Amino acid sequence: MVKLQLPNPGLEDRIPSLEELEVLEKEEADTRPKWDNKTQYMLTCVGFCVGLGNVWRFPYLCQSHGGGAFMIPFLILLVLEGIPLLHLEFAIGQRLRKGSVGVWSSIHPTLKGVGIAAMFVSLLVGLYYNTIIAWVMWYFFNSFQDPLPWSSCPLNANRTGYIEECAKSSPVDYFWYRETLNISTSIDDSGTIQWWLLLCLTCAWGVLYVCTIRGIETSGKAVYVTSTLPYIVLTIFLIRGLTLKGSTNGIVYLFTPNVTELANPVTWLDAGAQVFYSFSLAFGGLISFSSYNSVHNNCEKDALIISVINGFTSVYAATVVYSIIGFRATERYDDCFDKNILTLMNAFDLPEGNVTQDNFEQMQQLCNMTDPMTFASLKFETCDLESFLSDVTEGTGLAFIVFTEAITRMPVSPLWSILFFIMLFCLGLSSMFGNIEGVIVPLQDLKIITPKVPKELSNCFICLGSYLVAFIFVLESGNYWLALFDNFAGSIPLLIIAFFEMFSVVYIYGIDRFNKDIEFMVGHKPNIFWQATWRVISPLIMLVIFFFYFVVKVNEELLYSVWDPSYEEFPKTQKVQYPSWVYAIIVILAGVPSLVIPSFAIYKAIRNCCQKKNDRTGLMISTSETSVNGNLKYTA
């Protein structure tokens, strides 16, 4: 095993000894928050780790990378990358009993930048994540209508037909892009603030503030609902989905493995990234949450339980989503066939019921033999079930377009719409608890928020400031800004932060010291699996992911999808290159959090160097003075 450890003078003075830990825990009992019980802590961590990505990104990746074959790299990297880093964050937070900034500055003053970087990422991700919750609330409020407002196109001004943009696309597309976002045709065209989205954004930040008004004392109560309700709703959807026609087609399509995808490096890259992001690692929130635990809490067991729950949730959610997508695809397939059957019946004046899906090809051949000229003039649509099943997008497209279309085809559709958006709201809100914790605690560690400031006031300032910045997402160009933040704020920076976290614990704090800490807290030393993954395997995987991700992004032309009714291939979205000024935004989103770590280390090194020189100069001045006769005299 690798036992390299870098010199770290003064570490013993910066951290409490193992003997002092239990005393420290008793002293902090009245001044530091703590969990009411273990269930509350576990539900909070599950809520933070399990988010919207488990529902709308994992199913898409499965479908894109060979269905069941994607599970193989996902589960392998979950074990070798996700679980070790999760255990490390839990253990170091519980041992040092501080937030992310406090933990890393205690290990070494030059590492304070790791905590600051995590705080920046939590802040940037929280800005757009809560905007998604605002969109969810808008759809939730609109679900109390029958029929649902996205089930049909609105009439034009003359009431002689449908609005052209909707007629060319679909009711769900129109409601999303025009009624909800009122989207512009370029990120350059900001437009005005959409008041209905602003109201929903106000509600979203208001609810978050109320739930986190006193930190874990209030959010810890909310997780009993926000972390459990999504599983209840998913189960209801699965039961309902399995009773719908064609649902099994979607599930079979999802899990049918295409083994050749395992040879594709992009499959492994996406699996590694998905494991990493689905655990909410490197945000700082999990470190803060674990710091409120008892010294002798079994953090190893916690990491394993939460990892199993997270992996199970991803697979379970994918099954539910594709049971509904299977129903949607079957409905579209049937509609397509019905149009073709109607075309054939009208052209040859066939009795109703004579042509079915089962005998359609035979009837085509018969009609072709009867009147080849008429048959040749007919235009039939291509009806392929697999193409309908593969017509799935990720992210907001899956939630607000694909799933909403499927819901309109269900009986009692408003009920299913209400349940679906309640589930998304709970998933998003419970993840936001961790993001806010990842901002507030570092600000307290940095003394920007002093202990004298009431929690209610400090949380109010953070939520209010974030809310005002988030106005950019409720402009007509807001969706383009949100995609920009989503692509760059939580990608490269998180990989870099996580690598430095593991490197710092193993090679600066010292793996032997860390092993003794865990033995003291849990009762036994970490086994060979933890040793191998912490020291070599996990850091190596992160470096490989970072390298390939960087290579892919550098060689990739930066494009974004534009909804433009004048586009010749409309309703397809048009791929457009970002304007040049956006590259500066990308540098800020991805570069600033990443560069905080080396920048702060360099600043600290220069400051220490200057301080040593000043100390030596001050020492000479204070200890040697010239006497009246010119001789040196020494003073204490």
Side-chain angles (χ1 to χ4, degrees), residues 213-214 449-461:
I213 193 167
R214 292 192 57 79
I449 297 176
T450 62
K452 295 180 181 179
V453 179
K455 287 181 182 177
E456 295 86 350
L457 192 60
S458 60
N459 284 22
C460 178
F461 282 136

Side-chain angles (χ1 to χ4, degrees), residues 497-569:
I497 293 165
F499 175 80
F500 274 101
E501 284 184 355
M502 195 162 280
F503 182 86
S504 300
V505 170
V506 175
Y507 298 113
I508 299 178
Y509 183 76
I511 189 66
D512 291 333
R513 181 191 302 275
F514 192 51
N515 289 336
K516 289 176 184 175
D517 291 344
I518 292 176
E519 184 178 16
F520 173 79
M521 294 188 294
V522 176
H524 61 84
K525 279 189 176 181
N527 58 35
I528 189 70
F529 167 76
W530 301 115
Q531 303 295 333
T533 51
W534 285 335
R535 297 181 194 215
V536 180
I537 299 172
S538 293
L540 194 60
I541 288 173
M542 282 186 274
L543 283 176
V544 170
I545 291 174
F546 172 77
F547 174 76
F548 277 105
Y549 185 89
F550 189 76
V551 168
V552 167
K553 286 296 178 185
V554 165
N555 293 324
E556 188 178 73
E557 190 178 9
L558 291 179
L559 303 173
Y560 69 108
S561 298
V562 170
W563 179 261
D564 185 1
S566 63
Y567 178 48
E568 58 185 16
E569 293 186 36

Side-chain angles (χ1 to χ4, degrees), residues 47 50-52 55 129 226 230 422-431:
V50 176
L52 296 171
V55 173
Y129 210 86
T226 60
I422 284 177
M423 179 187 72
L424 292 187
F425 176 77
C426 290
L427 286 171
L429 187 63
S430 56
S431 293

Side-chain angles (χ1 to χ4, degrees), residues 55-56 59 321 325 392-404:
V55 173
W56 67 29
V321 167
I325 287 173
V392 178
T393 55
E394 64 172 316
T396 53
L398 179 60
F400 298 113
I401 297 176
V402 175
F403 223 87
T404 51

Side-chain angles (χ1 to χ4, degrees), residues 66-125:
F70 182 76
M71 303 289 179
I72 297 171
F74 175 75
L75 293 174
I76 289 172
L77 294 176
L78 182 142
V79 171
L80 298 180
E81 177 193 12
I83 299 177
L85 190 53
L86 184 66
H87 182 18
L88 182 139
E89 288 199 355
F90 280 165
I92 202 67
Q94 185 173 308
R95 166 64 177 89
L96 299 183
R97 312 196 64 72
K98 294 179 180 178
S100 57
V101 169
V103 161
W104 304 117
S105 56
S106 295
I107 291 175
H108 199 285
T110 57
L111 293 174
K112 186 180 282 188
V114 177
I116 296 172
M119 179 190 70
F120 276 137
V121 173
S122 288
L123 179 63
L124 292 171
V125 170

Side-chain angles (χ1 to χ4, degrees), residues 328-374:
R328 169 183 175 262
T330 304
E331 287 282 295
R332 293 174 71 185
Y333 177 76
D334 289 345
D335 288 346
C336 178
F337 242 114
D338 288 345
K339 288 178 183 177
N340 286 347
I341 289 171
L342 191 61
T343 300
L344 193 66
M345 287 171 57
N346 289 340
F348 288 89
D349 197 22
L350 299 172
E352 189 173 346
N354 269 25
V355 185
T356 63
Q357 287 188 20
D358 294 330
N359 69 0
F360 182 70
E361 288 186 6
Q362 288 87 347
M363 292 300 293
Q364 276 186 314
Q365 293 172 2
L366 182 63
C367 291
N368 189 22
M369 292 170 59
T370 305
D371 189 349
M373 293 288 291
T374 303

Side-chain angles (χ1 to χ4, degrees), residues 238-405:
L238 180 62
I239 295 169
R240 178 66 182 117
L242 291 174
T243 64
L244 297 171
K245 181 183 177 182
S247 61
T248 52
N249 292 333
I251 297 172
V252 169
Y253 181 78
L254 172 65
F255 290 108
T256 302
N258 178 9
V259 185
T260 56
E261 277 291 321
L262 294 176
N264 182 1
V266 177
T267 301
W268 290 84
L269 180 64
D270 282 345
Q274 177 61 18
V275 165
F276 189 81
Y277 303 138
S278 69
F279 275 92
S280 298
L281 298 165
F283 282 94
L286 293 173
I287 294 175
S288 295
F289 288 151
S290 64
S291 71
Y292 304 131
N293 277 326
S294 166
V295 170
H296 293 291
N297 174 62
N298 192 336
C299 52
E300 179 183 73
K301 185 179 176 182
D302 295 346
L304 291 172
I305 291 172
I306 289 171
S307 300
V308 170
I309 291 172
N310 200 337
F312 165 77
T313 304
S314 294
V315 177
Y316 188 52
T319 306
V320 174
V321 167
Y322 265 84
S323 70
I324 304 299
I325 287 173
F327 162 69
R328 169 183 175 262
T330 304
E331 287 282 295
R332 293 174 71 185
Y333 177 76
D334 289 345
D335 288 346
C336 178
F337 242 114
D338 288 345
K339 288 178 183 177
N340 286 347
I341 289 171
L342 191 61
T343 300
L344 193 66
M345 287 171 57
N346 289 340
F348 288 89
D349 197 22
L350 299 172
E352 189 173 346
N354 269 25
V355 185
T356 63
Q357 287 188 20
D358 294 330
N359 69 0
F360 182 70
E361 288 186 6
Q362 288 87 347
M363 292 300 293
Q364 276 186 314
Q365 293 172 2
L366 182 63
C367 291
N368 189 22
M369 292 170 59
T370 305
D371 189 349
M373 293 288 291
T374 303
F375 185 83
S377 66
L378 300 179
K379 290 184 179 179
F380 295 104
E381 294 184 18
T382 303
C383 302
D384 180 26
L385 181 61
E386 189 162 323
S387 67
F388 289 128
L389 286 167
S390 64
D391 182 23
V392 178
T393 55
E394 64 172 316
T396 53
L398 179 60
F400 298 113
I401 297 176
V402 175
F403 223 87
T404 51
E405 182 191 339

